[in-house]
């Protein structure tokens, strides 16, 4: 008589580690990080370094206090820090970015058991908490200054009224009353997306080949 064996998932295994997967994610985020520095300056890099450093330190400290196995080597905390930084305004106060990183790692991730057991995405949830607590700074968006480009769009309550007066100068101010976002030349953002794809192919060709082989099955 055959025995029914009940086991917990995953039921299929591949010779890939969490570290290698997270490293692929970091590589995929590199073009976005480069673009943020180009468009918003070194301040965006400072926010990124702050979020990543605090995320890694928070994970190490929590596991040290709770006498748990150290998991900072799997790079998941680094991924959380990068994603959180890319979700914050470039001029956000660093103490708010630090608070968001602590919330993401300690409250959302570690208190629920660590990687794979958290109930929500740590970076996204931390952003929601910051948005709720500091709506003023979280809705204050800096103007992209790269290449001194002017936008191809204007926002406001009555943009057509400006056009009838012949005033076509771009309006950069964007608040909660004018939720439409201002993007600096959509063509340039599409160009960044194309460059990002090319960079990913150059930086991680093995990853692309593995994904394409899976899709072709």
């Amino acid at each position: 008589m055959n025995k029914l064996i009940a086991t917990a998932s995953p039921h299929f295994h591949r010779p890939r580690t969490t570290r290698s997967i997270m490293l692929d994610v970091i590589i995929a985020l590199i073009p976005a990080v480069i673009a943020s520095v180009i468009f918003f300056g070194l301040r965006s890099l400072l926010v990124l370094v702050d979020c990543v450093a605090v995320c890694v330190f928070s994970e190490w400290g929590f596991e040290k206090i709770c006498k748990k196995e150290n998991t900072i080597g799997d790079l998941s905390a680094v991924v959380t820090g990068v994603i959180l930084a890319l979700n914050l305004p470039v001029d956000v106060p660093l103490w708010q970015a630090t608070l968001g990183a602590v919330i993401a790692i300690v409250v959302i991730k570690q208190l629920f058991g660590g990687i794979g057991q958290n109930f929500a995405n740590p970076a996204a949830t931390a952003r929601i908490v910051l948005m709720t607590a500091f709506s003023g700074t979280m809705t204050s968006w800096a103007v992209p200054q790269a290449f001194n480009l002017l936008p191809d769009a204007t926002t406001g309550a009555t943009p057509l009224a400006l056009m009838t007066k012949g005033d076509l100068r771009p309006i950069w101010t964007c608040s909660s009353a004018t939720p439409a976002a201002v993007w600096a030349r959509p063509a340039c953002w599409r160009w960044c997306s194309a460059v990002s794809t090319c960079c990913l192919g150059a930086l991680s060709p093995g990853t692309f080949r593995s994904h394409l082989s899976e899709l072709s099955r």
Side-chain angles (χ1 to χ4, degrees), residues 44-45 47-52 79-90 92 97 123:
S44 62
L45 189 61
V47 175
L48 176 72
V49 172
D50 178 78
C51 289
V52 171
V79 171
T80 299
V82 175
I83 295 176
L84 176 60
L86 294 175
N87 273 274
L88 298 178
V90 68
V92 64

Side-chain angles (χ1 to χ4, degrees), residues 53-192:
V54 174
C55 281
V56 173
F57 180 78
S58 298
E59 183 158 310
W60 174 85
F62 183 89
E63 292 173 342
K64 191 76 172 179
I65 293 173
C66 296
K67 298 181 179 180
K68 297 175 60 178
E69 181 184 358
N70 193 319
T71 59
I72 61 175
D74 63 12
L75 301 179
S76 60
V78 176
V79 171
T80 299
V82 175
I83 295 176
L84 176 60
L86 294 175
N87 273 274
L88 298 178
V90 68
D91 54 356
V92 64
L94 292 182
W95 69 269
Q96 292 183 12
T98 300
L99 178 62
V102 173
I103 292 174
I105 295 298
V106 176
V107 179
I108 310 301
K109 180 180 178 182
Q110 291 296 335
L111 288 182
F112 287 87
I115 184 171
Q117 302 183 55
N118 43 287
F119 72 98
N121 182 279
T125 309
R127 183 186 186 279
I128 293 173
V129 173
L130 292 178
M131 178 72 76
T132 304
F134 312 106
S135 58
T137 55
M138 288 296 293
T139 55
S140 175
W141 304 102
V143 177
Q145 299 294 335
F147 312 120
N148 294 321
L149 296 176
L150 294 177
D152 288 338
T154 179
T155 64
T158 55
L160 292 179
L162 295 177
M163 295 180 65
T164 58
K165 297 178 181 179
D167 188 1
L168 301 180
R169 292 174 298 174
I171 301 176
W172 283 103
T173 54
C174 184
S175 62
S176 58
T178 57
V182 180
W183 295 92
R185 291 199 182 275
C188 287
W189 288 108
R190 290 195 295 271
W191 170 81
C192 287

